[in-house]
Amino acid sequence: MPRALILGGTGPVGRAAAHRLLAAGWRVDMTGRDPARMPPELSALGGEFRAVDRTDSGALRAAVGEGTDLLVDCLCFTAADARSLLPLAAHATSTVLVSGRAVYIDAAGNHINSSTPPRFSGPISETHPPMTPRDDIEHRSREGYGANKVAAELVALDSGLPISVLRPSQIHGVGASPAREWAVVKRVLDGRTTLLLADRGAGVVHTTAAANLAALIETVAQRPGTRVLNCADPDTPSVLEICRTIAGHLGHEWEEVPLDDTAPTGLGRTPWDSPHPIVLDTSAATALGYRPAGTYAATIAPVLDRLVKAAANGQPPADDDYFAEYLDYAAEDAFLAGR
């Protein structure tokens, strides 16, 4: 029976990867700091939780033991994190480092966290220029996140070990925080009958289901190598299409009001807005044998059901600061009253 060790296994990517591997007959160990966060459904499938802090090198080495067929690091944010991963990867047949689309810059040097939105000329391939690597600024900052990720990638790739760097885009799945879909689900639960859409709902930001990332993780587990691979959903729904998917799944109808640039700033915003398309080219992953688990609509359904259930149990997402700008009903009603 092949074995996988997932660092940060209780988040959306770790959960999805563990579920897929367990279903395929793998033995899966998942690390984390809080045993209470271990999903019961994964325990039921045979997943094992190990209370290990990502910064405890001794405990991580003990978790690897004599070796593992697959090592997945969902918590590698800096070059220092990557350096601590290498001794573990030396005892793994295949290793995955989860990075992200935040590393890419456009021709003007802008990236997804820039004050000026990036403008890419087309789908972004793995050979597209990344940010300049840096490890001298906080990785939690807007400028530091992508730069630190690039630095971590380089440490991993330069090691010569069979490490696959995976770059997803706007991950969605059970356990994701923030759960972006709540911006639409809450509107449905609140009985809103009108949906305002900035830029006519035309924005496109490629999404990545945790289930699709899990499918790619399984693929590289079977084909060890040193590489960089993009990972995203097989479709690229617009803001309008995403909102229709969510409302349709919940059986809700409303009037859609497309807004142009004459509307008040901030009105009709969603978590998927972008003035220019951000789309990943996933042909390299496909050539390796990767087959996605499903489209955005197919993979988002479990998330929506869980959000509705959590709200019914009095436990909706608590990211009030994040969602406030998307749920300003007073501003929307004032605008609609003046139409």
Side-chain angles (χ1 to χ4, degrees):
M1 177 185 294
R3 178 191 178 226
L5 175 64
I6 304 176
L7 309 184
T10 60
V13 176
R15 287 186 185 205
H19 191 280
R20 186 179 182 98
L21 295 171
L22 287 165
W26 285 63
R27 172 189 165 197
V28 179
D29 294 329
M30 308 162 63
T31 73
R33 290 180 293 183
D34 185 3
R37 294 194 61 193
M38 176 65 176
E41 63 270 22
L42 295 182
S43 296
L45 289 173
E48 296 287 339
F49 181 84
R50 292 173 174 264
V52 177
D53 191 295
R54 175 63 176 74
T55 62
D56 189 336
S57 59
L60 289 175
R61 183 65 188 86
V64 171
E66 295 301 314
T68 185
D69 297 284
L70 173 65
L71 174 64
V72 181
D73 192 348
C74 303
L75 300 173
C76 189
F77 299 101
T78 67
D81 291 338
R83 284 191 289 270
S84 70
L85 175 67
L86 297 187
L88 311 179
H91 295 274
T93 304
S94 182
T95 296
V96 169
L97 186 159
V98 180
S99 185
R101 54 145 193 189
V103 303
Y104 292 119
I105 55 173
D106 66 9
N110 297 314
H111 50 87
I112 63 165
N113 291 319
S114 297
S115 55
T116 300
R119 185 167 193 155
F120 298 102
S121 59
I124 309 166
S125 72
E126 293 84 351
T127 59
H128 194 90
M131 298 175 67
T132 299
R134 293 185 63 178
D135 60 4
D136 60 332
I137 51 177
E138 172 58 47
H139 76 272
R140 298 181 185 87
S141 66
R142 289 176 62 89
E143 286 299 319
Y145 181 78
N148 274 275
K149 279 285 192 181
V150 176
E153 290 183 359
L154 291 177
V155 170
L157 297 171
D158 289 346
S159 71
L161 293 169
I163 300 177
S164 295
V165 173
L166 307 187
R167 293 173 176 168
S169 174
Q170 207 174 60
I171 297 171
H172 61 88
V174 174
S177 181
R180 297 179 183 88
E181 291 71 26
W182 180 244
V184 181
V185 172
K186 180 169 171 53
R187 302 179 69 87
V188 171
L189 298 180
D190 288 342
R192 300 293 292 180
T193 58
T194 305
L195 175 68
L196 304 184
L197 292 164
D199 194 27
R200 301 180 177 86
V204 173
V205 176
H206 214 165
T207 55
T208 304
N212 286 330
L213 191 49
L216 182 53
I217 288 172
E218 184 181 27
T219 300
V220 301
Q222 298 166 349
R223 296 168 176 79
T226 305
R227 57 172 77 93
V228 177
L229 295 170
N230 287 336
C231 183
D233 295 339
D235 54 337
T236 54
S238 65
V239 169
L240 175 59
E241 291 167 332
I242 287 175
C243 292
R244 284 179 174 175
T245 293
I246 296 172
H249 181 77
L250 300 180
H252 187 75
E253 295 183 359
W254 44 29
E255 177 193 4
E256 296 168 351
V257 180
L259 305 176
D260 56 26
D261 55 11
T262 64
T265 301
L267 203 61
R269 292 219 40 218
T270 76
W272 306 278
D273 293 333
S274 177
H276 314 296
I278 301 176
V279 178
L280 295 186
D281 178 348
T282 60
S283 58
T286 300
L288 192 67
Y290 159 72
R291 298 296 179 268
T295 62
Y296 175 83
T299 55
I300 201 60
V303 176
L304 305 180
D305 294 340
R306 290 216 179 193
L307 287 173
V308 171
K309 183 178 180 180
N313 293 332
Q315 298 176 322
D319 307 288
D320 294 337
D321 291 341
Y322 176 84
F323 291 108
E325 65 176 314
Y326 308 124
L327 299 168
D328 189 348
Y329 296 159
E332 293 178 12
D333 291 343
F335 174 80
L336 291 169
R339 281 200 301 172

